[in-house]
Structures are given as structure tokens and as C-alpha cells.
Amino acid sequence: QVQVVESGGGLVQPGGSLRLSCTASGSVFDIDPMGWYRQAPGKERELVASISQDGNIDYADFVKGRFTISRDIPRYTIHLQMNALRPEDTAVYFCNARVYAMNYWGKGTLVTVSS
């Protein structure tokens, strides 16, 4: 079993920044990849960014140039640095850890971008 906990959300003005963090624990050896997803009200959950154990990174088109995903040592802690935030970035951000065909999710952290 894998446990996933994320943090760092909050209220920020347009153009501001936030840094999200996520740590996976438990049976972590076979986790690959880890990533961030978000879900806005009335919309489906969508990929924001992911990072594999070999360092490959995928970004959604809508965050390229603004968000950066990174990984600590140990590798089961990841971060999402979010800059130049827009109101449309408002969503619950979820950390994901994949183990083969199984996905483990954190409870989510709310990011609200509003003036």
C-alpha cells in the first residue's frame, strides 16, 4: 500500500506563485512515475506534470513555461513550483503515484487564484 500526502495550496493573486509538495510513503519501491493532476469544478481531472524515475518529465501545454516539477532525494518527494498563476489555474491539485496499473492519490490541496 502507498500513502500520498500533498500540501502547499492556498489563495494567491493573479501573477503570484505557489509551491506544492508531495511525499509518498509505504510500499514505494515500484512507484513510477509520480505527478500532479488538477480538477476544477465541473471538469475532469487532468494531468499537470509528471516525472519518472529515469528523469523524464511531461508537462501539460497550458502550464509549460510557468510551472516546474522537481524531485528530491529520496525520489518519492516531488514539488510543483507554480509561477504566473492565472484564475483558470484555480483547482484542487492532486498528487499521484503510479505502481504498474494502480494509481494512488493524495486528498488534494486547493489552489485559488483570485484578485
Side-chain angles (χ1 to χ4, degrees), residues 7-72:
S7 63
L11 175 64
V12 65
Q13 296 184 34
S17 298
L18 285 173
R19 186 172 187 259
L20 308 183
S21 298
C22 171
T23 298
S25 61
S27 301
V28 298
F29 185 78
D30 292 320
I31 293 175
D32 191 24
M34 292 184 69
W36 293 96
Y37 291 70
R38 71 185 188 186
Q39 188 167 20
K43 297 184 178 180
E44 294 186 11
R45 190 171 299 185
E46 62 184 350
L47 173 71
V48 177
S50 67
I51 183 166
S52 66
Q53 300 295 7
D54 63 4
N56 289 330
I57 294 174
D58 287 329
Y59 288 108
D61 288 341
F62 55 82
V63 303
K64 287 183 178 178
R66 299 189 298 127
F67 295 3
T68 303
I69 189 170
S70 61
R71 181 180 62 215
D72 286 352

